[in-house]
Amino acid sequence: MHQYIDGERRAGTTGETFEVLDPSTDEVLETVALAGPADVDAAVASAQAAYAQWSRATPVERAAVLTKAAALLDERAEDLARLESRQAGKPIRLAREFDVPGTVDNTAFFGAAARRLDGMASAEYSGDHTSSIRREPLGVIGSIAPWNYPLQMAAWKVLPAIAAGNTIVLKPAEITPLTSLLFAEAFTEAGAPPGTVNIVTGTGPVAGQHLVGHPDVAMTSFTGSTAVGRRVMATAAHTGKRVHLELGGKAPFVVFDDADLEAAVHGAVAGSLINTGQDCTAATRAIVHRSVLDEFVRGVADLFAVVRMGPTSDPATDLGPLSSRAHLAKVAGMVERARGYAKVVTGGAAPTGDLARGSYYEPTLVTDVPLGSELWTDEVFGPVLVVVPFDDDDEAIRLANDTEFGLAASAWTRDTYRAGRATREIQAGCVWVNDHIPIISEMPHGGYKHSGFGKDMSAYSFDEYTQVKHVMHDLTGEARKPWHRTIFTLPG
């Protein structure tokens, strides 16, 4: 059963089913009975009922639940890693060393953060009153998570919401719902009231649409494509609810002429191939100074050639499959069209042999890419890196910002002034210097421009999941206050 409502597993009630596949083999892992509007209604009602208790829990009580949940998840790390690897097509090494430990750490972080909600110091700002700030939860949160990081994205949605005292209904992607269910169960087991964390596994147009438009949902948090994000925002507008969006990316990877080229080459390979390129912050556009362009291209091509594709259960495997046959067709189609206007240096094909059973695609490097072309402007979401040259720093910054997106970027240089300019002028929610991809629980994640708004992770995420209330106490005890005379005057 693949719904988790009111602290227990349930089956969806639509009568429709969906097969969750292992994209490395196309083997059916589980068949899901999909959720529909009635299931969403039940989950929201359960979350509303739990909110009355959970929102009044003290910070230390909420922290205790989150801390215990982190310990439970850590105990089950290997089971989570194996399940995440199979449903999402992740190499087991990535699941074990990145996805699962990152989720455990994020849970532990919010266990501590639940005890600290910052505001201005209480003080007599007017002179005659004491003012203080309360941060209060919003209510029921309706969240939609993507398929590329099913466990981590579930955590990014659930943790700040419940740490701040909200309850939540999460809709995972129907193709990767399995670890979200285990994640939710950990909070019930850790002592959260049933209904604090609910999971509805259904399609976006049915369950997702109903969740976003639900009148009893106070806020919608969505991670996914920019196009769908716009539809989410339009639906949410009908009920005036708060919206938090983490959308697409087209991250620039700027290599200046003084960069450590070996470091840049290694960073480009890791940054473009993480999770088979299915990462909104992945390095997708290498913008390289013309003087080091050829050496950079050779270095990346040489490393791409030794990246190992293989069974996702094998710890030696570097690169897993794409998420589905449909997504493989999309990525391959973009590269095939690019052959008409650019040069495919290496890759650009699906492997043959045993790996042809799955949705694998070779690491692909493309040069001579015209600005404005599809491969330059559109999110590929696959193991594809495009390279363009630049001649001076002004052009490098201009090319980095030549995108509708603004989620992440990196600059590679030994010059502190160049690095400072890049971090100031590149329009992205995160700019790395001499690295690309690392994230940490203490720092926020979120974008500029069409990459959305609002922050995941870190204490900054409480800005999304709380409302700020100003409380003001009169200190004078005077019935007749001087400011009243600006409104009315007394007789005589």
Side-chain angles (χ1 to χ4, degrees), residues 3 52 73 110-111 136 164 191 222 231 237 282 296 325 331 333 352-353 361 368 479 481:
Q3 319 301 320
L73 293 167
F110 278 104
E136 297 181 346
F222 170 81
R231 294 201 294 272
F296 177 85
R325 292 285 178 176
V331 172
T352 57
Y361 195 74
D368 302 336
K481 295 180 170 59

PDB file of all heavy atoms in Angstrom, residues 3 52 73 110-111 136 164 191 222 231 237 282 296 325 331 333 352-353 361 368 479 481:
ATOM      1  N   GLN A   3      -0.027   4.740   0.047  1.00  0.00           N
ATOM      2  CA  GLN A   3      -0.412   6.006   0.654  1.00  0.00           C
ATOM      3  C   GLN A   3      -0.072   5.891   2.143  1.00  0.00           C
ATOM      4  O   GLN A   3      -0.139   4.814   2.725  1.00  0.00           O
ATOM      5  CB  GLN A   3      -1.910   6.280   0.481  1.00  0.00           C
ATOM      6  CG  GLN A   3      -2.488   5.920  -0.876  1.00  0.00           C
ATOM      7  CD  GLN A   3      -1.822   6.646  -2.026  1.00  0.00           C
ATOM      8  OE1 GLN A   3      -1.507   7.821  -1.920  1.00  0.00           O
ATOM      9  NE2 GLN A   3      -1.603   5.946  -3.132  1.00  0.00           N
ATOM     10  N   ALA A  52      -3.580  20.557  15.321  1.00  0.00           N
ATOM     11  CA  ALA A  52      -4.023  21.087  16.609  1.00  0.00           C
ATOM     12  C   ALA A  52      -3.068  20.695  17.729  1.00  0.00           C
ATOM     13  O   ALA A  52      -2.808  21.477  18.649  1.00  0.00           O
ATOM     14  CB  ALA A  52      -5.432  20.584  16.913  1.00  0.00           C
ATOM     15  N   LEU A  73      16.352   6.698  10.893  1.00  0.00           N
ATOM     16  CA  LEU A  73      16.753   6.693   9.486  1.00  0.00           C
ATOM     17  C   LEU A  73      18.194   6.212   9.344  1.00  0.00           C
ATOM     18  O   LEU A  73      18.523   5.483   8.397  1.00  0.00           O
ATOM     19  CB  LEU A  73      16.597   8.092   8.901  1.00  0.00           C
ATOM     20  CG  LEU A  73      15.156   8.603   8.783  1.00  0.00           C
ATOM     21  CD1 LEU A  73      15.144  10.100   8.498  1.00  0.00           C
ATOM     22  CD2 LEU A  73      14.387   7.849   7.699  1.00  0.00           C
ATOM     23  N   PHE A 110      17.557  19.768  11.476  1.00  0.00           N
ATOM     24  CA  PHE A 110      16.284  20.392  11.830  1.00  0.00           C
ATOM     25  C   PHE A 110      15.820  19.992  13.229  1.00  0.00           C
ATOM     26  O   PHE A 110      15.021  20.695  13.846  1.00  0.00           O
ATOM     27  CB  PHE A 110      15.227  20.102  10.771  1.00  0.00           C
ATOM     28  CG  PHE A 110      15.331  21.039   9.602  1.00  0.00           C
ATOM     29  CD1 PHE A 110      15.887  20.615   8.407  1.00  0.00           C
ATOM     30  CD2 PHE A 110      14.914  22.347   9.711  1.00  0.00           C
ATOM     31  CE1 PHE A 110      16.019  21.487   7.339  1.00  0.00           C
ATOM     32  CE2 PHE A 110      15.034  23.228   8.648  1.00  0.00           C
ATOM     33  CZ  PHE A 110      15.591  22.801   7.451  1.00  0.00           C
ATOM     34  N   GLY A 111      16.350  18.868  13.726  1.00  0.00           N
ATOM     35  CA  GLY A 111      16.099  18.557  15.122  1.00  0.00           C
ATOM     36  C   GLY A 111      16.661  19.627  16.041  1.00  0.00           C
ATOM     37  O   GLY A 111      16.059  19.979  17.059  1.00  0.00           O
ATOM     38  N   GLU A 136       4.973  31.846  13.875  1.00  0.00           N
ATOM     39  CA  GLU A 136       3.934  30.849  14.064  1.00  0.00           C
ATOM     40  C   GLU A 136       3.797  29.990  12.814  1.00  0.00           C
ATOM     41  O   GLU A 136       4.010  30.475  11.690  1.00  0.00           O
ATOM     42  CB  GLU A 136       2.603  31.532  14.371  1.00  0.00           C
ATOM     43  CG  GLU A 136       2.659  32.320  15.668  1.00  0.00           C
ATOM     44  CD  GLU A 136       1.344  32.992  16.023  1.00  0.00           C
ATOM     45  OE1 GLU A 136       0.455  33.079  15.132  1.00  0.00           O
ATOM     46  OE2 GLU A 136       1.202  33.420  17.176  1.00  0.00           O
ATOM     47  N   ALA A 164       8.884  23.663  12.163  1.00  0.00           N
ATOM     48  CA  ALA A 164       8.256  24.937  12.500  1.00  0.00           C
ATOM     49  C   ALA A 164       6.858  24.772  13.074  1.00  0.00           C
ATOM     50  O   ALA A 164       6.215  25.767  13.422  1.00  0.00           O
ATOM     51  CB  ALA A 164       8.202  25.820  11.258  1.00  0.00           C
ATOM     52  N   GLY A 191       7.375   9.423  17.341  1.00  0.00           N
ATOM     53  CA  GLY A 191       6.484  10.063  18.304  1.00  0.00           C
ATOM     54  C   GLY A 191       5.663  11.215  17.784  1.00  0.00           C
ATOM     55  O   GLY A 191       4.920  11.838  18.556  1.00  0.00           O
ATOM     56  N   PHE A 222       6.698  23.325  -4.158  1.00  0.00           N
ATOM     57  CA  PHE A 222       6.843  22.489  -5.356  1.00  0.00           C
ATOM     58  C   PHE A 222       8.280  22.527  -5.840  1.00  0.00           C
ATOM     59  O   PHE A 222       8.886  23.599  -5.926  1.00  0.00           O
ATOM     60  CB  PHE A 222       5.914  23.004  -6.459  1.00  0.00           C
ATOM     61  CG  PHE A 222       6.153  22.363  -7.814  1.00  0.00           C
ATOM     62  CD1 PHE A 222       5.625  21.113  -8.102  1.00  0.00           C
ATOM     63  CD2 PHE A 222       6.898  23.009  -8.777  1.00  0.00           C
ATOM     64  CE1 PHE A 222       5.859  20.521  -9.341  1.00  0.00           C
ATOM     65  CE2 PHE A 222       7.130  22.429 -10.021  1.00  0.00           C
ATOM     66  CZ  PHE A 222       6.610  21.179 -10.302  1.00  0.00           C
ATOM     67  N   ARG A 231       2.172  26.546 -13.534  1.00  0.00           N
ATOM     68  CA  ARG A 231       0.797  26.051 -13.380  1.00  0.00           C
ATOM     69  C   ARG A 231       0.444  25.892 -11.909  1.00  0.00           C
ATOM     70  O   ARG A 231      -0.695  26.174 -11.497  1.00  0.00           O
ATOM     71  CB  ARG A 231       0.631  24.728 -14.133  1.00  0.00           C
ATOM     72  CG  ARG A 231       0.755  24.854 -15.645  1.00  0.00           C
ATOM     73  CD  ARG A 231       0.112  23.693 -16.368  1.00  0.00           C
ATOM     74  NE  ARG A 231       0.769  22.426 -16.142  1.00  0.00           N
ATOM     75  CZ  ARG A 231       1.783  21.981 -16.875  1.00  0.00           C
ATOM     76  NH1 ARG A 231       2.269  22.703 -17.871  1.00  0.00           N
ATOM     77  NH2 ARG A 231       2.308  20.795 -16.633  1.00  0.00           N
ATOM     78  N   ALA A 237      -3.084  30.400  -6.742  1.00  0.00           N
ATOM     79  CA  ALA A 237      -3.607  31.768  -6.664  1.00  0.00           C
ATOM     80  C   ALA A 237      -5.112  31.798  -6.421  1.00  0.00           C
ATOM     81  O   ALA A 237      -5.629  32.754  -5.842  1.00  0.00           O
ATOM     82  CB  ALA A 237      -3.274  32.520  -7.952  1.00  0.00           C
ATOM     83  N   ALA A 282      23.280  20.819 -11.666  1.00  0.00           N
ATOM     84  CA  ALA A 282      24.375  20.189 -12.402  1.00  0.00           C
ATOM     85  C   ALA A 282      25.063  21.190 -13.318  1.00  0.00           C
ATOM     86  O   ALA A 282      24.444  22.102 -13.872  1.00  0.00           O
ATOM     87  CB  ALA A 282      23.857  19.007 -13.217  1.00  0.00           C
ATOM     88  N   PHE A 296      41.006  21.976 -21.876  1.00  0.00           N
ATOM     89  CA  PHE A 296      39.840  21.624 -21.062  1.00  0.00           C
ATOM     90  C   PHE A 296      38.996  20.568 -21.767  1.00  0.00           C
ATOM     91  O   PHE A 296      38.596  19.565 -21.140  1.00  0.00           O
ATOM     92  CB  PHE A 296      39.003  22.880 -20.791  1.00  0.00           C
ATOM     93  CG  PHE A 296      37.735  22.624 -20.017  1.00  0.00           C
ATOM     94  CD1 PHE A 296      37.740  22.578 -18.635  1.00  0.00           C
ATOM     95  CD2 PHE A 296      36.527  22.429 -20.678  1.00  0.00           C
ATOM     96  CE1 PHE A 296      36.568  22.337 -17.917  1.00  0.00           C
ATOM     97  CE2 PHE A 296      35.345  22.192 -19.972  1.00  0.00           C
ATOM     98  CZ  PHE A 296      35.381  22.146 -18.585  1.00  0.00           C
ATOM     99  N   ARG A 325      12.482   5.395 -19.945  1.00  0.00           N
ATOM    100  CA  ARG A 325      12.650   5.348 -21.405  1.00  0.00           C
ATOM    101  C   ARG A 325      12.206   6.667 -22.040  1.00  0.00           C
ATOM    102  O   ARG A 325      12.813   7.151 -22.998  1.00  0.00           O
ATOM    103  CB  ARG A 325      11.837   4.190 -21.984  1.00  0.00           C
ATOM    104  CG  ARG A 325      12.351   2.812 -21.617  1.00  0.00           C
ATOM    105  CD  ARG A 325      13.594   2.463 -22.394  1.00  0.00           C
ATOM    106  NE  ARG A 325      14.126   1.153 -22.020  1.00  0.00           N
ATOM    107  CZ  ARG A 325      15.160   0.577 -22.607  1.00  0.00           C
ATOM    108  NH1 ARG A 325      15.770   1.197 -23.604  1.00  0.00           N
ATOM    109  NH2 ARG A 325      15.589  -0.595 -22.198  1.00  0.00           N
ATOM    110  N   VAL A 331      16.363  13.189 -23.879  1.00  0.00           N
ATOM    111  CA  VAL A 331      17.778  13.570 -23.859  1.00  0.00           C
ATOM    112  C   VAL A 331      18.443  13.235 -25.185  1.00  0.00           C
ATOM    113  O   VAL A 331      19.143  14.064 -25.785  1.00  0.00           O
ATOM    114  CB  VAL A 331      18.502  12.889 -22.688  1.00  0.00           C
ATOM    115  CG1 VAL A 331      20.007  13.116 -22.771  1.00  0.00           C
ATOM    116  CG2 VAL A 331      17.958  13.397 -21.354  1.00  0.00           C
ATOM    117  N   GLY A 333      17.100  12.850 -28.076  1.00  0.00           N
ATOM    118  CA  GLY A 333      16.566  13.695 -29.138  1.00  0.00           C
ATOM    119  C   GLY A 333      17.239  15.052 -29.175  1.00  0.00           C
ATOM    120  O   GLY A 333      17.538  15.596 -30.254  1.00  0.00           O
ATOM    121  N   THR A 352      25.169  -0.350 -25.923  1.00  0.00           N
ATOM    122  CA  THR A 352      24.634  -1.620 -26.407  1.00  0.00           C
ATOM    123  C   THR A 352      24.925  -2.708 -25.375  1.00  0.00           C
ATOM    124  O   THR A 352      25.453  -2.445 -24.306  1.00  0.00           O
ATOM    125  CB  THR A 352      25.266  -1.980 -27.758  1.00  0.00           C
ATOM    126  OG1 THR A 352      26.700  -2.027 -27.603  1.00  0.00           O
ATOM    127  CG2 THR A 352      24.917  -0.931 -28.816  1.00  0.00           C
ATOM    128  N   GLY A 353      24.555  -3.932 -25.699  1.00  0.00           N
ATOM    129  CA  GLY A 353      24.822  -5.044 -24.797  1.00  0.00           C
ATOM    130  C   GLY A 353      23.834  -5.105 -23.654  1.00  0.00           C
ATOM    131  O   GLY A 353      22.679  -4.690 -23.779  1.00  0.00           O
ATOM    132  N   TYR A 361      22.578   6.270 -20.869  1.00  0.00           N
ATOM    133  CA  TYR A 361      23.039   7.168 -21.931  1.00  0.00           C
ATOM    134  C   TYR A 361      24.476   7.577 -21.619  1.00  0.00           C
ATOM    135  O   TYR A 361      24.815   7.864 -20.472  1.00  0.00           O
ATOM    136  CB  TYR A 361      22.148   8.408 -22.019  1.00  0.00           C
ATOM    137  CG  TYR A 361      22.326   9.191 -23.298  1.00  0.00           C
ATOM    138  CD1 TYR A 361      21.811   8.720 -24.495  1.00  0.00           C
ATOM    139  CD2 TYR A 361      23.008  10.407 -23.303  1.00  0.00           C
ATOM    140  CE1 TYR A 361      21.968   9.433 -25.677  1.00  0.00           C
ATOM    141  CE2 TYR A 361      23.167  11.136 -24.468  1.00  0.00           C
ATOM    142  CZ  TYR A 361      22.646  10.633 -25.658  1.00  0.00           C
ATOM    143  OH  TYR A 361      22.801  11.338 -26.830  1.00  0.00           O
ATOM    144  N   ASP A 368      31.214  23.887 -29.923  1.00  0.00           N
ATOM    145  CA  ASP A 368      30.740  24.699 -31.054  1.00  0.00           C
ATOM    146  C   ASP A 368      29.227  24.920 -30.978  1.00  0.00           C
ATOM    147  O   ASP A 368      28.514  24.873 -31.998  1.00  0.00           O
ATOM    148  CB  ASP A 368      31.112  24.053 -32.405  1.00  0.00           C
ATOM    149  CG  ASP A 368      32.608  23.848 -32.568  1.00  0.00           C
ATOM    150  OD1 ASP A 368      33.371  24.578 -31.906  1.00  0.00           O
ATOM    151  OD2 ASP A 368      33.015  22.961 -33.335  1.00  0.00           O
ATOM    152  N   ALA A 479      -5.238  55.736  29.895  1.00  0.00           N
ATOM    153  CA  ALA A 479      -6.461  55.595  29.102  1.00  0.00           C
ATOM    154  C   ALA A 479      -6.494  56.599  27.961  1.00  0.00           C
ATOM    155  O   ALA A 479      -6.999  56.312  26.870  1.00  0.00           O
ATOM    156  CB  ALA A 479      -7.688  55.774  30.001  1.00  0.00           C
ATOM    157  N   LYS A 481      -4.336  58.497  25.581  1.00  0.00           N
ATOM    158  CA  LYS A 481      -2.991  58.535  25.017  1.00  0.00           C
ATOM    159  C   LYS A 481      -2.850  59.726  24.062  1.00  0.00           C
ATOM    160  O   LYS A 481      -3.811  60.094  23.365  1.00  0.00           O
ATOM    161  CB  LYS A 481      -2.690  57.234  24.270  1.00  0.00           C
ATOM    162  CG  LYS A 481      -2.648  56.013  25.194  1.00  0.00           C
ATOM    163  CD  LYS A 481      -2.353  54.756  24.408  1.00  0.00           C
ATOM    164  CE  LYS A 481      -2.069  53.596  25.346  1.00  0.00           C
ATOM    165  NZ  LYS A 481      -3.180  53.287  26.271  1.00  0.00           N
TER     166      LYS A 481
END
